Amino acid sequence: MRRLIVTEFMTLDGVVEAPGGEPTHPHSGWTMPFSTPELREFKLREVLEAESLLLGRKTYEQFVEAWPEREGTFADKMNRMPKHVVTASTEPLGWNATRVEGDVRAAIGDLKAGDGGPMLVAGSATLAKSLLVWGLVDELRLLVYPVIVGGGLRMFPDDRAKAELRLAQLEEFDSGAVLHRYLFNRTA
């Protein structure tokens, strides 16, 4: 059984939108002032541990624009890793990607039930929200930045359902960004 890990950049006010310069938010690129070598090293380790990416359409489109032309260990892993993309579009996918077909919840459940290493969901806030609602997330990694941007896209469901998690790691980086790594407490 494969683990499904959701990893998100997040502001103190819970916004996950436009962390890297996307044009959708007036404070786009809010992670940039807080980047440090140790934070980049954590993100490299995270990507190297993953066997595949699970992405929503928008994040896939942003990544496919950004990564194929880059070089280095991180880019090499991103480019060669298999990608599973949740999209209603029928446009052909490139960049070593396959479309998640049929019932998305069931298809992702089947991917999780298969053999292999962890699937990493990076960004993809709408997909992450659905995965949380469906109880498919095994681990949640929130890299919380010491900034408030006054609103924007958030990833947590607003359905008043309760989920209990166990803190597995808490790490502060020199820039003030803090990694919160949680495991879900599930009752069988």
Side-chain angles (χ1 to χ4, degrees):
M1 180 143 199
R2 303 172 74 183
R3 288 184 313 125
L4 193 139
I5 300 166
V6 170
T7 184
E8 296 285 344
F9 296 133
M10 182 176 286
T11 66
L12 282 175
D13 53 345
V15 174
V16 296
E17 181 182 356
E22 303 81 353
T24 61
H25 197 281
H27 302 296
S28 183
W30 45 263
T31 63
M32 302 304 189
F34 304 99
S35 182
T36 65
E38 65 180 344
L39 197 148
R40 289 189 297 276
E41 179 62 30
F42 161 72
K43 292 305 284 181
L44 175 62
R45 282 192 318 270
E46 180 177 69
V47 165
L48 292 176
E49 290 172 0
E51 183 175 284
S52 63
L53 291 173
L54 175 60
L55 302 170
R57 179 190 53 81
K58 289 179 185 176
T59 301
Y60 166 78
E61 289 173 353
Q62 291 169 347
F63 281 11
V64 79
E65 289 281 324
W67 288 106
E69 303 304 318
R70 294 184 185 180
E71 296 179 353
T73 305
F74 193 102
D76 291 346
K77 175 65 184 230
M78 288 290 284
N79 289 324
R80 102 176 150 259
M81 203 176 349
K83 289 100 182 152
H84 309 281
V85 181
V86 176
T87 179
S89 170
T90 58
E91 293 294 316
L93 299 174
W95 195 47
N96 201 21
T98 57
R99 186 178 332 281
V100 174
E101 301 281 353
D103 177 82
V104 174
R105 181 180 186 175
I108 294 171
D110 290 345
L111 285 170
K112 279 190 63 172
D115 293 330
M119 286 187 299
L120 187 64
V121 179
S124 305
T126 302
L127 173 60
K129 184 182 288 191
S130 294
L131 295 169
L132 288 166
V133 168
W134 296 332
L136 293 175
V137 178
D138 297 300
E139 184 175 331
L140 182 60
R141 296 176 182 170
L142 303 175
L143 197 48
V144 181
Y145 288 78
V147 62
I148 295 171
V149 297
L153 182 63
R154 291 171 167 80
M155 63 164 268
F156 290 109
D158 194 19
D159 60 4
R160 297 186 182 250
K162 180 180 175 184
E164 293 190 12
L165 296 87
R166 179 176 56 84
L167 182 64
Q169 181 182 0
L170 188 63
E171 180 179 350
E172 181 180 1
F173 296 96
D174 290 341
S175 65
V178 178
L179 169 66
H180 301 246
R181 189 168 71 88
Y182 294 98
L183 304 176
F184 278 81
N185 294 328
R186 301 231 197 298
T187 55

